[in-house]
Amino acid sequence: MWTSRILSSTASRAALASTALMTARSRGLSQVTRQSSSSTSAISYKRTHPHKRHPALSSEYLYPAAPSAEEAVSNILYNTPPGGRGYVQQRHIFNCLVQNEPGVLSRVSGILAGRGFNIDSLVVAKTEVADLSRMTIVLRGDPETIEQARRQVEDLVPVWAVLDYTGFKVIQRELLLIKISILGPEHVRAQIKSRTPGWQIIQEETEEELSPSNALRQTHAHLKSLTELANLFQGKVVDVSGDCAVVELSAKPERIDAFIKLVKPFGILEAARSGMMAMPRSPIYDMHEHEELVEDAGSSVDATMLPPG
């Protein structure tokens, strides 16, 4: 009887131990599950999600082969702009110092028109002297004919001097004020015809109606692009409205032409361009060079003053 009691107590203890072990295992698994669901360690993540390695760069990409002579010549020819086919007359720049009195401009332009010259640009302005004005004229023609016209203009009574800056190093500047649309090129025609607010032009001209927010994003995107382009040419936006912007630019005539070509896709509403102003560069004299010449001249020895033998 005692034996049966001992065996029953032992069996009950074993059952309790197994139950406790099962409970502990279930708790451990639940803890692992909670940890894996709540946070994943970096090592386990890397093991379960292997990193896909990118293919190695080829040697042709890292060490490209030198182009052949044919490829290099083709690239140079592609990047070289084509030259003018026709004969282009040389551009001449006249700097006329004239008396500040009425009728001088008409007399000078009359002489040039009588010889068949088409004046590219003409700028007249006062100088720091009260009775003197500066007249900058740009025209094209043959050197012989240009020289005859220069002498004939210089023979006029109110003209003090006529200088030809052709072939000299001069500083050239020209001023541009250009009004550009910020609504887009498809709205320029309607914008020129009627100066209505920009939102009405967009909603009337486009097939799909734009919301005010989309129209605002579009105008600001165009304005930002236009401002960045003006900054590249060292220009600035001097006026902004709801449908256009005015850009001021002072540069060489070639850069002015390039800027106009670049902003043409935006839509040019109006452009005002001054004539070219020119001034020769000042020469630079080296004072040390003059001192060396003086020293060399003083160190020369006269052979007649030396003793005989």
Side-chain angles (χ1 to χ4, degrees), residues 292-303 305-306:
E292 291 177 358
L293 293 176
V294 173
E295 292 178 359
D296 293 341
S299 59
S300 59
V301 178
D302 190 0
M305 300 299 295
L306 295 176

Side-chain angles (χ1 to χ4, degrees), residues 92-105:
H92 295 262
I93 304 173
F94 282 174
N95 184 16
C96 306
L97 301 175
V98 301
Q99 189 72 22
N100 188 12
E101 62 182 28
V104 180
L105 178 59

Side-chain angles (χ1 to χ4, degrees), residues 23 31 133-134 269 301:
T23 304
Q31 289 180 0
S133 296
R134 182 187 296 269
L269 302 176
V301 178

Side-chain angles (χ1 to χ4, degrees), residues 147 240 287:
E147 180 61 23
V240 179
M287 299 177 59

Side-chain angles (χ1 to χ4, degrees), residues 27 34 107 121 140 144 181 195 228 274 293-294 302:
R27 289 179 179 176
R34 289 177 182 176
R107 297 179 64 180
S121 68
R140 299 179 184 272
E144 294 80 7
S181 173
R195 301 297 296 174
E228 293 177 355
S274 69
L293 293 176
V294 173
D302 190 0

